[in-house]
Amino acid sequence: MATYLEFIQQNEERDGVRFSWNVWPSSRLEATRMVVPLACILTPLKERPDLPPVQYEPVLCSRPTCKAILNPLCQVDYRAKLWACNFCFQRNQFPPAYAGISEVNQPAELMPQFSTVEYVIQRGAQSPLIFLYVVDTCLEEDDLQALKESLQMSLSLLPPDALVGLITFGRMVQVHELSCEGISKSYVFRGTKDLTAKQIQDMLGLTKPAVPVHPARPAQPQEHPSISSRFLQPIHKIDMNLTDLLGELQRDPWPVPQGKRPLRSTGVALSIAVGLLEGTFPNTGARIMLFIGGPPTQGPGMVVGDELKVPIRSWHDIEKDNARFMKKATKHYEMLANRAAANGHCVDIYACALDQTGLLEMKCCTNLTGGHMVMGDSFNTSLFKQTFQRIFSKDFNGNFRMAFGATLEVKTSRELKVAGAIGPCVSLNVKGPCVSENELGVGGTSQWKICGLDPTSTLGIYFEVVNQHNAPIPQGGRGAIQFVTHYQHSSTQRRIRVTTIARNWADAQSQLKHIEAAFDQEAAAVLMARLGVFRAESEEGPDVLRWLDRQLIRLCQKFGQYTKEDPASFRLSDSFSLYPQFMFHLRRSPFLQVFNNSPDESSYYRHHFARQDLTQSLIMIQPILYSYSFHGPPEPVLLDSSSILADRILLMDTFFQIVIYLGETIAQWQKAGYQDMPEYENFKHLLQAPLDDAQEILHTRFPMPRYINTEHGGSQARFLLSKVNPSQTHNNLYAWGQETGAPILTDDVSLQVFMDHLKKLAVSSAC
Amino acid sequence: MAGLYVKPGNKERGWNDPPQFSYGLQTQAGGPKRTPLTKRVAAPQDGSPRVPTSETSPGAPPMGPPPLSSKASRPPFVGSCPPSSMEPTNFPVVESEILLEDVLKPLERALEDCRGHTKKQVCDDISRRLALLQEQWAGGKLSMPVKKRMALLVQELSSHQWDAADDIHRSLMVDHVTEVSQWMVGVKRLIAEKRSLSSEEAANEEKSVATAEQNQTMPGIQHDP
């Protein structure tokens, strides 16, 4: 068992891939009986400081329907200089540059430890990074000032040859013409009328840029005078003027009457931004950054009217079909999102307001393009400022972590097909022999586009085993999958990251134990969770929960050890032991429970869930809880009310919040001031330890989480109490006969009750 | 160098606003973690919640004081604390006064150097911002850390350490944007212009050295440049 955990970890570190099953059932029938689909979590641009990119182009299989890339699984005849594609078995000639290879002189891409290789593409023009700021001016004075300062600061963080542009909006939409001469000009549009891309481009006087690079001359990043437009200029030319322009921005001048919301034309502003980039820089990496301080209240894409007494839609309104603007607004933003994605442009939304801002309707903009969604209370908070700064964070080489314009292609050996992907991507509708007819997530394709991504962007990719039931497995046969990601690196180089993996087939009838032992319950939990959340977008909540429960029961029936009709005999092996717990917490999570969250909040949580890597996704499903005490070093404890003790400090990480909770006795000691007395110095250290650990998390997490410092009896303790398993409630306080832990006042089902039901159903022959 | 501190978030505007890290702390590569908080405990399969080991007595009875500190303090707590604390550290007044002239004069000199090489409008713009810097400094509107870091920036600029100077400008923009945003972009441009000027000068020098060598080359003898 230990070896599989190591195997799983090594593979994740090297290739950024984790599979639900690491030994694959060899027939379609058996694979469906496994309940959890064969799927993987892939982080295409996982940070690999130890992997230098190679400075040549990949070698492709010559079969037009294959075009797989040379990899360590290929058979090579060094004498004849031939290689056999492991996917289609085509024999290919090595290109002339490989004339000198031999068994002792292998190119990197054939060496087993280079299952993941990154190639740098030398040819072609290198286009600069593009940032288009779209700024809401209907903000409070303080907020606008803080936002302006953050934008000015960002000009110092951007590289000098990046292009930058500015659109501001309120009741009207203003497109600012950036020039180095004195007078600033802008084009003003009405916020009520939507325009087509062509109309926008005509009104802005945009012409197609001339072909910028002479083919014989290599492109220099600095000399692209014809590539910029009047609205998007390089930082090194425009930073002083733009700093002044930003500094002079005023609040939207239209007065807001009593009892009304400001008229905010977000829909048209975004439409103009998308149209502007479409017309000037199609198919180039670009970022539209939308900053909003409230909901859109006029024009296409409006989410609520301007009367304050009519509140913005809640989940209750949506269920009762009482959300007037939702369908039309969602359609408007979906249209914009698809256009942006088609051009390789990503859209970020930074929404800072005390009330909802329409993230539910606008979420497709970030989710389809891979843009960021940041939700805060005000632009004048550390949460926004730090999160915004971290977008421009750099890696160990001094390059931005953000990458643009990626396409992910998946190739499989013929026993497998691709059923779909779930993550921040759109389908490229590429059909082929690898594409399954059954869709899970975004299916019907073997290629997806991810317009904005970074080293933590992660997709769930689902497969189907298509081997017929009695078809033989070749001796020692392994299935293989290749992931090819083309993208624009932040240094403007084009790169290709290739990961090729293989796993053994096994006959499920005779080798079930092997398949079981190679189950990755963490990956499986996240993959099933992504499926559940994907379903929740289009199905009713209770149906999704029923589906999730059904899958869990079937899994326990298949892999549990038990005697029929005897729940007490039920056991799960180690490789499954955490799985039911994950499912229990998933059912209670804000991803599947919309109670107590606004539609915007649910959209925000789901957005982050659909793109984080495995470790962070698990934290979101089942928060981490560590206990600090005098009894030893900090230790992980059950996410359970029995872990809440008077003499412990708890640190809980839910990904979105970091909660530090002082037990009753600890809080009393702190109030009495023991930490200030020299003879109780260890108490001071005890109080400091969780603060330091929390700080480490806060140091790197994107987006910045909320930080809650609370204690027994504090009102903020509810964040902890609502997450822990309520093993002790007011209902069973005396039944347990224990006096440890804090009872939680809830009628929610506890993990124990959940497990009891699960065992009963699993062992029952009626199911 | 650029100040490593953490200051609390804005609790008035954002509930549970997290603390804010200074630029210096943010750009520090994360070292090995103190306590990687990634482990979980499996729920016991038989259903009863496990009571954590060794309960101490404080419970229902009135609490006693915490255990006394012993000589052998526990390593996990006294371990490698990160170089930050939760309070802002503005190093107090042991420093000598930083004079405005010490900062402004080198900047103005640098601007003069660039006048031949840079467009007039840009130079005027930079000059305008330097005047603004002077006005704010003289008017006591700039805090000590800003003044300190500007002194450092000017030092780096004078020693032709462009990247270091640039980094300091960035750290000032991130940590003190309210104070510096109006004029800092002028300093940033100045660094960029000086950098390109000095690389042009270096290129010209190389060219003239090469031509000088060419003129000296004896026929038949190769000199490597």
Side-chain angles (χ1 to χ4, degrees), chain A residues 195-333:
Chain A
L195 303 163
T196 63
K198 181 148 194 329
Q199 284 173 315
I200 295 168
Q201 286 150 26
D202 284 343
M203 288 164 103
L204 292 175
L206 297 172
T207 51
K208 282 253 175 286
V211 174
V213 177
H214 184 62
R217 213 171 29 135
Q220 314 287 332
Q222 290 88 347
E223 43 165 89
H224 277 153
S226 49
I227 248 194
S228 62
S229 87
R230 293 160 12 241
F231 304 103
L232 292 151
Q233 290 270 325
I235 294 261
H236 68 86
K237 274 174 71 181
I238 208 63
D239 54 1
M240 295 205 280
N241 286 62
L242 187 51
T243 301
D244 289 341
L245 183 52
L246 286 167
E248 286 154 14
L249 284 181
Q250 301 286 326
R251 291 176 66 191
D252 190 57
W254 298 91
V256 182
Q258 187 81 292
K260 297 255 189 170
R261 297 187 176 90
L263 289 174
R264 198 178 272 109
S265 325
T266 318
V268 174
L270 195 54
S271 184
I272 292 175
V274 171
L276 169 59
L277 281 180
E278 238 175 354
T280 47
F281 296 100
N283 302 313
T284 314
R287 246 196 146 86
I288 297 175
M289 299 172 113
L290 175 65
F291 300 88
I292 49 180
T297 45
Q298 80 165 0
M302 70 185 273
V303 156
V304 69
D306 64 339
E307 295 271 343
L308 272 172
K309 65 177 189 250
V310 180
I312 193 169
R313 76 284 169 283
S314 64
W315 277 119
H316 187 73
D317 293 325
I318 295 172
E319 272 161 42
K320 297 277 183 270
D321 215 8
N322 195 20
R324 277 182 59 195
F325 305 103
M326 194 179 76
K327 282 202 178 60
K328 262 188 79 183
T330 309
K331 232 177 117 206
H332 175 80
Y333 294 112

Side-chain angles (χ1 to χ4, degrees), chain A residues 440-645:
Chain A
L440 279 174
V442 179
T445 178
S446 62
Q447 288 190 30
W448 298 265
K449 194 166 192 175
I450 312 165
C451 301
L453 73 173
D454 59 44
T456 59
S457 301
T458 303
L459 290 124
I461 305 184
Y462 300 82
F463 300 94
E464 192 190 358
V465 177
V466 295
N467 241 8
Q468 288 313 307
H469 190 51
N470 288 314
I473 322 161
Q475 244 343 325
R478 300 205 291 170
I481 304 178
Q482 187 172 75
F483 304 98
V484 181
T485 309
H486 296 247
Y487 70 101
Q488 180 184 17
H489 188 257
S490 63
S491 63
T492 75
Q493 280 173 337
R494 288 216 64 89
R495 294 194 181 186
I496 306 181
R497 170 90 68 114
V498 182
T499 295
T500 319
I501 59 91
R503 296 287 188 276
N504 292 323
W505 294 110
D507 172 32
Q509 308 279 11
S510 55
Q511 295 174 297
L512 191 62
K513 283 281 170 252
H514 286 156
I515 296 181
E516 252 187 65
F519 180 61
D520 183 347
Q521 55 189 334
E522 293 185 341
V526 174
L527 287 159
M528 290 299 277
R530 282 204 185 199
L531 275 174
V533 176
F534 188 80
R535 277 174 176 246
E537 297 282 329
S538 51
E539 286 177 34
E540 298 288 327
D543 291 340
V544 179
L545 291 176
R546 260 193 291 275
W547 170 82
L548 204 62
D549 290 344
R550 194 93 209 96
Q551 304 312 308
L552 178 58
I553 295 167
R554 286 178 58 212
L555 190 75
C556 289
Q557 283 175 328
K558 172 100 182 165
F559 293 101
Q561 295 124 32
Y562 55 91
T563 22
K564 279 218 182 291
E565 306 297 343
D566 181 9
S569 68
F570 184 88
R571 286 285 173 280
L572 282 172
S573 67
D574 280 351
S575 48
F576 290 84
S577 58
L578 289 175
Y579 188 84
Q581 219 174 331
F582 288 138
M583 290 300 111
F584 170 73
H585 287 285
L586 175 64
R587 291 171 97 260
R588 309 171 84 214
S589 70
F591 312 110
L592 296 183
Q593 288 288 354
V594 298
F595 172 72
N596 207 33
N597 284 316
S598 66
D600 275 11
E601 280 171 327
S602 302
S603 304
Y604 174 71
Y605 294 136
R606 287 174 179 170
H607 160 90
H608 285 286
F609 186 71
R611 64 177 51 199
Q612 281 294 337
D613 64 28
L614 184 132
T615 310
Q616 307 300 322
S617 299
L618 276 179
I619 292 175
M620 291 189 219
I621 294 174
Q622 184 180 334
I624 298 266
L625 192 64
Y626 266 71
S627 173
Y628 298 74
S629 72
F630 286 116
H631 306 297
E635 51 170 11
V637 289
L638 263 182
L639 188 62
D640 188 289
S641 56
S642 62
S643 301
I644 305 177
L645 296 164

Side-chain angles (χ1 to χ4, degrees), chain A residues 337-338 341-342 367-369 423-428 442 447-451:
Chain A
N338 281 310
N367 295 349
L368 295 185
T369 63
C425 61
V426 287
S427 161
L428 280 170
V442 179
Q447 288 190 30
W448 298 265
K449 194 166 192 175
I450 312 165
C451 301

Side-chain angles (χ1 to χ4, degrees), chain B residues 59-77:
Chain B
M63 62 142 200
L68 276 171
S69 223
S70 58
K71 285 289 183 324
S73 34
R74 296 178 195 283
F77 301 141

Side-chain angles (χ1 to χ4, degrees), chain A residues 244 382 390 669 695 699 759, chain B residues 17 25-26 45 64 84 129:
Chain A
D244 289 341
S382 154
R390 283 186 191 169
W669 285 338
Q695 196 169 305
H699 195 196
K759 289 177 199 173
Chain B
D17 204 28
L25 259 189
Q26 270 289 162
Q45 295 226 26
S84 61
R129 288 170 209 272

